[in-house]
Amino acid sequence: MYFAALLARTEDGWEASDTELDDVETLSDLADLAREASAEDDTVLVLIEQEDAWFGVVRIDGEEDPRIYVSDAAAAARSSYGEILLTDELLGREPGDDDPDLDALDLDGTEDGEDDEDEDDDTTSGGGSAEAVPHGPVGDATVLDDLGVSEKELKSLSEDAVNEIAEALGASEVLETVR
């Protein structure tokens, strides 16, 4: 189960809106969607979570490049929404290097039983993709520092991360209206 919301900071505080990500195919599409949620060049946060697996924060400040944090890159890579956030730059790869590795993650579900073969075969999900998509957090862990969520706090969040972030921002009530 996924949940995604936009939080736009305004003069009057935070405004939340439920967002549909079905038409979003790239990070650029996501950034455009977020910018549309703000009347001015205010800060907009896109909060995405997959229940008990991973969460992501995308911060857009005006026309600046989006800043991204993903709690578990390997879990997010198995998600269509997570793949939007896992850019080459975020993963420290050259553009275009991710295609074979991310494609290898979407096998027919037999990768669990092929561990021994994976070590010898770079075309399966074993050795190659594990290096390309790390387990654990990636991105800018300081993305919410100036908003009251430190790097340490962000990295310690897990199951109810989106609600905890909203609470720290003082936006839990507006987020609850779109949940």
Side-chain angles (χ1 to χ4, degrees), residues 13-34:
W14 291 96
E15 291 181 7
S17 57
D18 190 8
T19 187
E20 187 61 49
L21 297 179
D22 290 344
D23 295 331
V24 174
E25 295 180 8
T26 65
L27 181 59
S28 180
D29 294 344
L30 185 63
D32 291 343
L33 180 70

Side-chain angles (χ1 to χ4, degrees), residues 30-88:
L30 185 63
D32 291 343
L33 180 70
R35 287 184 182 106
E36 290 171 11
S38 175
E40 298 182 22
D41 287 342
D42 295 320
T43 297
V44 179
L45 301 175
V46 181
L47 305 175
I48 303 172
E49 70 181 354
Q50 180 181 3
E51 193 173 308
D52 297 332
W54 66 276
F55 71 92
V57 177
V58 179
R59 178 177 178 159
I60 291 96
D61 292 303
E63 292 299 318
E64 291 181 28
D65 288 339
R67 294 171 54 197
I68 306 165
Y69 174 81
V70 176
S71 66
D72 186 338
R78 293 186 295 271
S79 156
S80 59
Y81 297 139
E83 286 180 347
I84 294 168
L85 306 182
L86 297 175
T87 63
D88 290 330

